[in-house]
């Protein structure tokens, strides 16, 4: 089995080289410095994209939209200096990291994303929404969050997903649960 494939999309060469250096021992790493390069390099073989929101020829948001429109099943972390705002709620990323990002934090984020790629769609959606809620909770005062309709919809959807996941868990017998996890660690 080959190493997971990571695409680093970062316009600052020193930062891109730093991230690649953090990752190259464990992963197959490629670097794109522009939105156009990112669009050209992302494909079905990419497992994780580390995506800056500000690129010299466009927006990382547009690259993210391309990834989702093309149906690539990769996990995406926005790694950016752009402070999060409520606009992130409707974006299709899985994690949001605000620069500067340490080696430890970057590796932990990739581990989280690779683990999430093994989840079914319901759990992936819940994990992505929980990440967005956590980012906004840490960056926006409660009064702003409570007065924002998109944030309220995010919280409502997350509660629905939590209930669905709980229902799924309750419907599994002990044998079903064991069968789901039997092969873990045998790979």
């Amino acid at each position: 089995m080959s190493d997971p494939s990571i695409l680093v999309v970062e316009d600052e060469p020193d930062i891109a080289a730093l991230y690649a250096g953090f990752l190259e021992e464990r992963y197959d790493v490629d670097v794109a410095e522009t939105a156009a390069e990112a669009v050209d390099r992302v494909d079905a073989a990419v497992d994780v994209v580390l995506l800056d929101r500000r690129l010299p020829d466009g927006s990382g948001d547009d690259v993210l939209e391309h990834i989702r429109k093309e149906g690539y099943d990769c996990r995406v972390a926005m790694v950016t200096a752009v402070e999060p705002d409520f606009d992130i709620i409707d974006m299709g990323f899985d994690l949001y990291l605000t620069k500067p990002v340490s080696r430890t934090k970057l590796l932990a984020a990739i581990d989280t994303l690779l683990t999430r790629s093994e989840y079914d769609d319901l759990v992936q959606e819940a994990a992505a929404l929980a990440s967005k809620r956590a980012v906004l909770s840490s960056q926006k005062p409660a009064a702003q969050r409570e007065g924002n309709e998109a944030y309220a919809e995010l919280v409502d959807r997350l509660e629905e997903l939590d209930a669905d996941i709980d229902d799924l868990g309750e419907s599994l017998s002990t044998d079903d649960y064991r069968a789901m996890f039997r092969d873990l660690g045998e790979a």
Side-chain angles (χ1 to χ4, degrees):
M1 184 175 185
S2 63
D3 291 335
S5 174
I6 312 296
L7 176 61
V8 176
V9 184
E10 171 58 59
D11 63 319
E12 294 185 38
D14 291 343
I15 294 174
L18 180 67
Y19 292 169
F22 290 164
L23 305 174
E24 61 193 5
E25 281 185 26
R26 298 182 188 183
Y27 307 108
D28 178 22
V29 180
D30 191 15
V31 175
E33 294 183 2
T34 66
E37 284 179 24
V39 167
D40 287 342
R41 291 191 181 159
V42 71
D43 59 25
V46 173
D47 296 300
V48 173
V49 177
L50 303 177
L51 181 59
D52 193 356
R53 286 188 78 178
R54 291 186 185 145
L55 298 166
D57 63 335
S59 168
D61 301 2
D62 294 335
V63 174
L64 174 62
E65 188 174 311
H66 168 79
I67 290 168
R68 296 306 183 219
K69 181 180 163 197
E70 292 298 315
Y72 297 127
D73 191 29
C74 59
R75 306 284 50 91
V76 178
M78 300 302 271
V79 184
T80 181
V82 177
E83 290 295 325
D85 205 347
F86 293 108
D87 66 332
I88 70 169
I89 292 171
D90 293 324
M91 296 174 68
F93 63 83
D94 299 283
L95 279 177
Y96 198 97
L97 303 173
T98 305
K99 292 179 183 174
V101 179
S102 69
R103 178 181 192 274
T104 302
K105 191 170 185 177
L106 195 64
L107 290 171
I110 291 172
D111 286 344
T112 297
L113 292 172
L114 290 172
T115 299
R116 283 185 189 175
S117 69
E118 298 171 10
Y119 298 166
D120 72 4
D121 292 343
L122 186 72
V123 178
Q124 284 183 24
E125 181 183 0
L129 291 177
S131 293
K132 292 173 185 179
R133 181 180 62 188
V135 166
L136 291 171
S137 292
S138 71
Q139 297 291 321
K140 298 290 181 187
Q144 282 186 356
R145 292 191 316 268
E146 291 166 7
N148 185 280
E149 184 177 334
Y151 186 80
E153 289 172 7
L154 176 147
V155 170
D156 289 345
R157 178 65 181 146
L158 193 52
E159 288 173 0
E160 289 172 18
L161 290 170
D162 285 344
D164 290 346
I165 291 167
D166 286 344
D167 290 345
L168 176 64
E170 289 174 10
S171 71
L172 295 175
S173 70
T174 302
D175 289 339
D176 291 333
Y177 185 79
R178 286 184 183 134
M180 284 175 50
F181 295 99
R182 177 178 332 162
D183 295 330
L184 291 180
E186 293 179 14

